[in-house]
Amino acid sequence: MGVSGAVLAIDAGNSKTDVAVVTADGEVAGTARGGGFRPPATGVERALDTLAEAVGRAQEAAGHVPVAHVSACLANADLPVEEERLAAAAAARGWGQAVEVRNDTFAVLRAGLLEDADPRGVAVVCGAGINCAGMVPDGRTARFPALGRVSGDWGGGGGLAEEALWHAARAEDGRGEPTTLARALPAHFGLDTMYALIEALHLGHVPPARRHELTPVLFTAAEAGDPVAAGLITRLAEEVATMAAVALDRLDLVDTPAPVLLGGSILAARRPGLDAGVREALARRAPLAEPRVVTAAPVLGAALLGMDAVGAGAEAYARVRAWFG
């Protein structure tokens, strides 16, 4: 590496945090897993306390080697101003000489880019929510606020569950098209009707957090031929391709072969209708794009971004990839 010292890589999502200490020659000297990173719910300092616990265990496992660069890819760092504030707060913890914070979508992006000497491409992540990010070697990036409907987003597991509920409710009461979702969604919770499910959700008998369980039910209905469910999957495929194509265009990558990484629990599952739909839609919007699914741990991406920042050598990249591979 161009700078002595290790990289402290952090990938922090809403539900869990992964930390790795990578030495100058690419050895993974220590790792740890901790709780979720939720500054909107807990406040920044308490959220960083959660990171600190995992960071401490990883550094202890690594023998407290000096850290040259902290590369933190964090959920809820949705805007550049939030990245800057979180970077300043993390720097105050004294974890390393320099701190860089990015949205966690960049971890998936960098983990899927195999061209370490010239990393360029776009990633779309679809899990509980949906987001997209892109990067090119000259430092330019493409991104979206990803704050939900207020920032124009559609999709993600949470959004799909809400859409499924909406269509099922209207199918049962006669305002909408017939769909098997009207029976399949309440049946998932042992209920007979959408009215019963609506009541259970409203009164808290079914906790709001369990709504995400309905997304696989939606996919099953779509794959069984339900037109309403299939329409939602088609719309998601178009949304994924649209986000990728816009990011490629912003980075001047539309007219050149460039990887489009597909990550997150929904895209990584490679459900047949969605996977084929994304590839078909992307072929129309950006024919030279090269879609591929990312299965590598996002903390690898955080580590690679840190190694990019300190000028790692080819052998170090190969070593850290082999460890995570």
Side-chain angles (χ1 to χ4, degrees):
M1 291 185 176
V3 179
S4 61
V7 166
L8 175 65
I10 303 171
D11 172 66
N14 284 291
S15 60
K16 64 177 175 62
T17 294
D18 283 317
V19 178
V21 178
V22 182
T23 64
D25 60 0
E27 292 287 349
V28 178
T31 64
R33 172 163 288 187
F37 183 75
R38 298 184 295 274
T42 66
V44 169
E45 291 306 319
R46 284 187 62 188
L48 286 174
D49 288 343
T50 300
L51 297 191
E53 190 275 331
V55 166
R57 287 189 285 113
Q59 289 180 321
E60 182 177 1
H64 295 282
V65 297
V67 172
H69 189 87
V70 178
S71 174
C73 295
L74 308 179
N76 301 298
D78 297 307
L79 303 174
V81 65
E82 292 174 315
E83 292 175 336
E84 293 169 7
R85 291 170 180 170
L86 288 167
R93 300 290 177 124
W95 294 336
Q97 297 173 31
V99 177
E100 187 168 17
V101 169
R102 294 179 175 85
N103 178 268
D104 57 346
T105 304
F106 283 94
V108 176
L109 168 62
R110 189 62 184 89
L113 293 178
L114 307 178
E115 304 77 13
D116 294 322
D118 192 25
R120 66 183 67 211
V122 164
V124 181
V125 178
C126 186
I130 189 167
N131 202 352
C132 175
M135 62 185 293
V136 288
D138 64 13
R140 287 180 296 139
T141 62
R143 60 189 298 173
F144 298 86
L147 297 173
R149 290 187 65 84
V150 70
S151 60
D153 304 328
W154 189 91
L160 287 176
E162 292 297 323
E163 291 286 340
L165 285 165
W166 188 87
H167 282 282
R170 293 173 67 86
E172 182 173 271
D173 67 23
R175 288 178 293 172
E177 299 177 38
T179 170
T180 59
L181 294 171
R183 293 292 175 266
L185 299 188
H188 176 76
F189 296 107
L191 302 172
D192 294 329
T193 65
M194 274 303 299
Y195 186 90
L197 177 54
I198 293 164
E199 181 180 81
L201 289 167
H202 178 68
L203 297 177
H205 302 319
V206 173
R210 293 195 64 192
R211 294 189 186 197
H212 75 277
E213 298 174 18
L214 298 176
T215 304
V217 180
L218 170 65
F219 274 95
T220 298
E223 290 160 8
D226 181 83
V228 170
L232 291 174
I233 303 308
T234 297
R235 182 178 175 185
L236 178 60
E238 293 289 343
E239 184 70 12
V240 170
T242 296
M243 295 183 85
V246 169
L248 288 167
D249 183 59
R250 290 180 184 174
L251 296 172
D252 302 314
L253 293 176
V254 171
D255 297 322
T256 185
V260 171
L261 296 318
L262 306 174
S265 58
I266 291 177
L267 291 175
R270 303 196 71 163
R271 303 291 295 237
L274 179 60
D275 192 67
V278 168
R279 293 169 190 273
E280 291 169 7
L282 194 56
R284 294 195 307 272
R285 299 290 302 270
L288 296 181
E290 302 169 346
R292 57 184 185 233
V293 174
V294 180
T295 57
V299 69
L300 167 62
L304 293 172
L305 287 167
M307 294 167 71
D308 294 340
V310 300
E315 291 185 0
Y317 281 111
R319 192 169 287 117
V320 73
R321 284 186 181 280
W323 194 94
F324 281 102

